[in-house]
Amino acid sequence: SKKLLNHYEINTPLESYHLHNEHGKVVRLVEQMLDGQHIAVISDAGTPAISDPGYLLVREALENNIEVNVIPGATAFIPALIKSGFALHRFLFEGFLPPKKVVRQKFWSGPNPM
């Protein structure tokens, strides 16, 4: 994201927001929005809030009557789903496969592995 922002000479301050710190930051970010600041959540790995941080912030913003806008962006999940040829009138997304090989193998080896 930083490379793209630099390319377009966008100098907005960036702050990391990820799985390991989102619970600790969500209250402060909502307070900033209530004070009139605008916040954008961007991701280098997909779409925020779909197996990516962002859900907690969106939920808290909505609970505080803060308007949330969604701008579609690049994501691997939706194009892969479309290209699969599956009937898309109904589908279930349970998240991405675990990053560790041993855990992925357990995922595929039996019912309810996770």
Side-chain angles (χ1 to χ4, degrees):
S1 298
K2 183 69 174 168
K3 287 181 184 181
L4 183 63
L5 293 172
N6 285 341
H7 176 79
Y8 288 101
E9 298 178 1
I10 299 170
N11 299 313
T12 303
L14 297 179
E15 181 176 335
S16 66
Y17 182 78
H18 49 73
L19 177 66
H20 303 292
N21 72 8
E22 66 182 330
H23 288 277
K25 290 189 174 191
V26 71
V27 172
R28 181 178 50 80
L29 293 172
V30 168
E31 287 173 355
Q32 289 175 341
M33 289 185 284
L34 288 170
D35 286 341
Q37 293 184 34
H38 295 272
I39 293 175
V41 178
I42 59 175
S43 174
D44 291 334
T47 300
I50 298 182
S51 279
D52 207 43
Y55 159 74
L56 291 175
L57 185 57
V58 169
R59 183 186 68 193
E60 292 299 317
L62 292 172
E63 287 181 3
N64 283 276
N65 296 314
I66 297 169
E67 182 180 357
V68 175
N69 295 303
V70 179
I71 301 171
T75 177
F77 169 65
I78 298 299
L81 183 63
I82 293 167
K83 195 170 180 171
S84 72
F86 296 150
L88 300 180
H89 61 282
R90 182 176 168 186
F91 66 91
L92 175 67
F93 177 67
E94 292 191 31
F96 295 102
L97 291 174
K100 294 187 179 183
K101 184 177 180 180
V102 173
V103 181
R104 275 195 313 270
Q105 289 170 334
K106 287 181 183 180
F107 177 85
W108 292 113
S109 66
N112 234 353
M114 305 208 41

